Amino acid sequence: MRQYAGFWALLRLALRRDRVKLPVWLLSIAVMASYFANALQVAYPEKEDLKAIADFMDSPAGTVMSGPGFGWDDPNHATAFAGAYALYLYLGAAFLTVLLVGRHTRVEEEAGRLEMVRAAAVGRHAPLAVTAVLTVGASLLLGVLSAIFILPADYGVGGSWLFGASMTMVALVFGAIALVTAQLSGHSRTATGMASLAIGSAVAIRGAGDVLADQGSWLSWFSPFAWAQQTRVFYDGRWWPLLLGVAAAGALFAVASRLQARRDLGAGLLATRPGNAAAMPALRGPLALALRLERTSLVVWAAVLLVLGALYGGLTDSVQSSLADLDNQMVIDAMGGDPTRMVDGYLATCALFNAYVVLCYAIVALHRLSVEERDGRAGSSLAAAVSRPRWLLAGLGAALVGTVVALLAAGVGMGATAALVTGEGGHFWDVVLGTLFYLPAIAVLLGIGVVGFGIAPGWLNGVWLVAGYAMVVGYLGFALDLPDPLVDVSPLSHVAQVPLETQSALPLVVLTLVAAALVAAGTARFRTRDLTAG
């Protein structure tokens, strides 16, 4: 038991450090589940209204975006909630534990705090065991809160607890995956990026598998999200798919423990390739350095977006045939409102979804600023002939360059396959340009992040709240019947749905000016505050 010495003291420390952040995460996801469950009944009070949703969600496009769905032939509010919104709550659960694990493993090692802790009477496996227990506890609490918060919607006690259990399972599996990736890489961003890539891959595998066969195919079962959806919550609920997740999480926890025992503190099992002794002249600047540090992460994200875009574009022909004779006005409105251009509406919707994924990448890339400052490297850079505005704008510039590349990857992937399956070459440029038009809106969100960073490194996290609001408004605003003023708050709502609509220059210019003003304000504030480290 000496290997676990100090476990209880470390657990109390971890709980104290997360006494604000973790409850906010848990309550935010639970409240979001409650909001979806209750708002659905307000937005679609009659069964005929739900039938309109079912007609779209049961199509290939709806299946890719939300899952196979069970009970769409005779929908009720409970099955509509599970079929349309559960996947996005599962995503929140997955990212909750991935970020939680990264914060208590690699971040601690990189900052040097874990080395100081291990210098005391602390066993070798105690920190990992604390992170595992914290992950399990957070996952269980998330499931309990999710179930309790949707009980007022009157969807049924048994189904509510099954939904909560599926949330717990998803959080457990991806938390365990993050524990494994934390042993593989010696850098927190890479480890978290690998776990995030696992989330994206699981979404893509589930989408492809669910389209291959009605209510999911054999391919779907390679995704933990499919395990949760195959519980058929609120339909004919079954608990046994959750056992797959429990078994997988247990195995991954064991693998993480074995891997941790075989590496040195501060190092990863994947060797870091040494760089050149001297940098090339082209790399001797803050922007070049920021781009070089972002290179690996950008390549991974771009590859995922290329595949995701190709998947959506490849479904264009099937969407065209499935929606050709649709006369349901509510579904038509959801796809842009023009029954003669449903394919354009589908491509515009997918472009918006890809823009949200790119937005997540852009914020993650901007977070390198806070990481560099926390680890003391910002101070080293600023000790040279580099001004604060130049250093800050270099980090922002790297995030913007990465955003352009990521948008291009998503647009090219979807545009190329859409043009290929439909035989209409015009789809390629329409989709590429329609995707790139989201750049100024994403820049506004990055500007908000710069303002937060200018105040304090931790305030940069506030941009996630704005991004989350923009995602809810953009993707679920129609279903929840939100008023126009609430929709207009989102910068992405001011971008036209190309190719369904024509993009005018004025909104893009205004968004660009707003982004520039935010960056200027954040830069001015950063020049006057003290640096923090550790």
Side-chain angles (χ1 to χ4, degrees):
M1 294 298 292
R2 289 191 303 175
Q3 296 289 340
Y4 297 94
F7 170 85
W8 294 110
L10 289 179
L11 181 59
R12 289 194 297 271
L13 175 63
L15 290 172
R16 177 169 177 75
R17 293 186 61 195
D18 269 356
R19 66 187 183 278
V20 175
K21 187 175 295 185
L22 185 56
V24 168
W25 260 100
L26 294 171
L27 288 173
S28 297
I29 296 175
V31 169
M32 188 64 69
S34 175
Y35 178 69
F36 289 158
N38 289 281
L40 188 65
Q41 301 181 47
V42 176
Y44 302 96
E46 303 298 332
K47 194 168 185 177
E48 288 302 317
D49 300 330
L50 290 175
K51 185 61 178 175
I53 301 178
D55 291 340
F56 171 71
M57 298 307 299
D58 206 25
S59 68
T63 299
V64 169
M65 293 179 181
S66 297
F70 299 94
W72 286 128
D73 53 338
D74 185 24
N76 55 50
H77 290 105
T79 56
F81 166 76
Y85 303 132
L87 175 62
Y88 300 96
L89 296 169
Y90 294 150
L91 281 169
F95 278 109
L96 163 66
T97 50
V98 164
L99 296 175
L100 176 68
V101 168
R103 189 163 62 248
H104 287 277
T105 53
R106 273 297 159 194
V107 170
E108 294 298 292
E109 290 193 46
E110 279 192 305
R113 290 187 291 267
L114 185 58
E115 184 176 8
M116 290 190 292
V117 168
R118 287 276 300 274
V122 173
R124 178 181 179 86
H125 297 306
L128 183 70
V130 166
T131 304
V133 170
L134 194 62
T135 302
V136 172
S139 301
L140 290 172
L141 189 55
L142 175 63
V144 171
L145 289 174
S146 299
I148 292 174
F149 273 60
I150 65 172
L151 281 174
D154 199 24
Y155 287 167
V157 175
S160 297
W161 285 108
L162 178 57
F163 172 74
S166 65
M167 291 281 283
T168 294
M169 184 274 292
V170 171
L172 272 177
V173 171
F174 286 102
I177 290 174
L179 269 178
V180 172
T181 60
Q183 314 312 315
L184 298 178
S185 174
H187 302 283
S188 60
R189 278 176 55 87
T190 304
T192 302
M194 292 168 66
S196 300
L197 178 61
I199 294 176
S201 300
V203 172
I205 291 171
R206 180 216 54 79
D210 289 347
V211 170
L212 290 177
D214 186 34
Q215 298 185 348
S217 67
W218 60 269
L219 181 60
S220 304
W221 290 93
F222 286 91
S223 170
F225 293 115
W227 302 342
Q229 292 181 320
Q230 288 296 330
T231 58
R232 302 185 181 186
V233 61
F234 301 125
Y235 180 61
D236 60 352
R238 49 186 189 178
W239 290 78
W240 66 263
L242 299 181
L243 297 178
L244 297 173
V246 173
L252 289 167
F253 281 136
V255 169
S257 179
R258 296 293 297 273
L259 294 178
Q260 192 260 351
R262 284 165 170 74
R263 68 174 180 87
D264 294 330
L265 182 65
L269 290 174
L270 300 179
T272 302
R273 182 173 60 88
N276 296 324
M280 296 184 298
L283 293 178
R284 294 174 185 174
L287 177 59
L289 175 61
L291 288 171
R292 177 63 181 84
L293 293 174
E294 191 60 32
R295 183 180 64 179
T296 302
S297 176
L298 176 57
V299 169
V300 173
W301 277 88
V304 171
L305 283 160
L306 183 68
V307 173
L308 189 63
L311 175 63
Y312 289 153
L315 294 172
T316 305
D317 192 42
S318 62
V319 170
Q320 186 174 18
S321 59
S322 64
L323 300 180
D325 300 322
L326 184 68
D327 59 357
N328 191 303
Q329 188 59 44
M330 189 169 292
V331 178
I332 293 173
D333 290 341
M335 300 296 288
D338 190 342
T340 65
R341 302 181 62 189
M342 296 296 284
V343 170
D344 290 343
Y346 165 74
L347 292 175
T349 301
C350 290
L352 177 61
F353 183 81
N354 285 336
Y356 293 143
V357 179
V358 175
L359 173 59
C360 292
Y361 158 74
I363 296 175
V364 170
L366 189 65
H367 264 282
R368 185 177 289 278
L369 292 172
S370 61
V371 173
E372 294 293 296
E373 181 175 352
R374 181 199 65 207
D375 294 344
R377 292 187 289 271
S380 300
S381 297
L382 294 172
V386 177
S387 66
R388 286 197 177 200
R390 186 184 178 194
W391 179 83
L392 175 60
L393 293 176
L396 174 63
L400 286 172
V401 170
T403 300
V404 173
V405 173
L407 287 171
L408 274 173
V412 168
M414 186 166 69
T417 52
L420 181 64
V421 299
T422 61
E424 299 182 22
H427 282 323
F428 177 78
W429 293 112
D430 287 341
V431 171
V432 171
L433 291 175
T435 305
L436 285 174
F437 284 146
Y438 284 101
L439 177 61
I442 295 176
V444 171
L445 272 296
L446 292 180
I448 294 173
V450 171
V451 171
F453 179 75
I455 298 173
W459 282 55
L460 198 158
N461 290 314
V463 72
W464 284 111
L465 297 176
V466 184
Y469 177 80
M471 293 178 188
V472 171
V473 166
Y475 190 70
L476 303 174
F478 172 82
L480 300 177
D481 196 24
L482 295 177
D484 290 341
L486 291 180
V487 175
D488 292 339
V489 172
S490 168
L492 280 78
S493 67
H494 299 282
V495 180
Q497 290 186 299
V498 178
L500 185 65
E501 302 171 343
T502 301
Q503 178 65 62
S504 60
L506 182 60
L508 301 183
V509 171
V510 172
L511 288 171
T512 302
L513 292 176
V514 171
L518 290 169
V519 170
T523 303
R525 182 66 181 87
F526 178 62
R527 295 182 65 178
T528 62
R529 73 168 174 84
D530 294 331
L531 294 181
T532 60

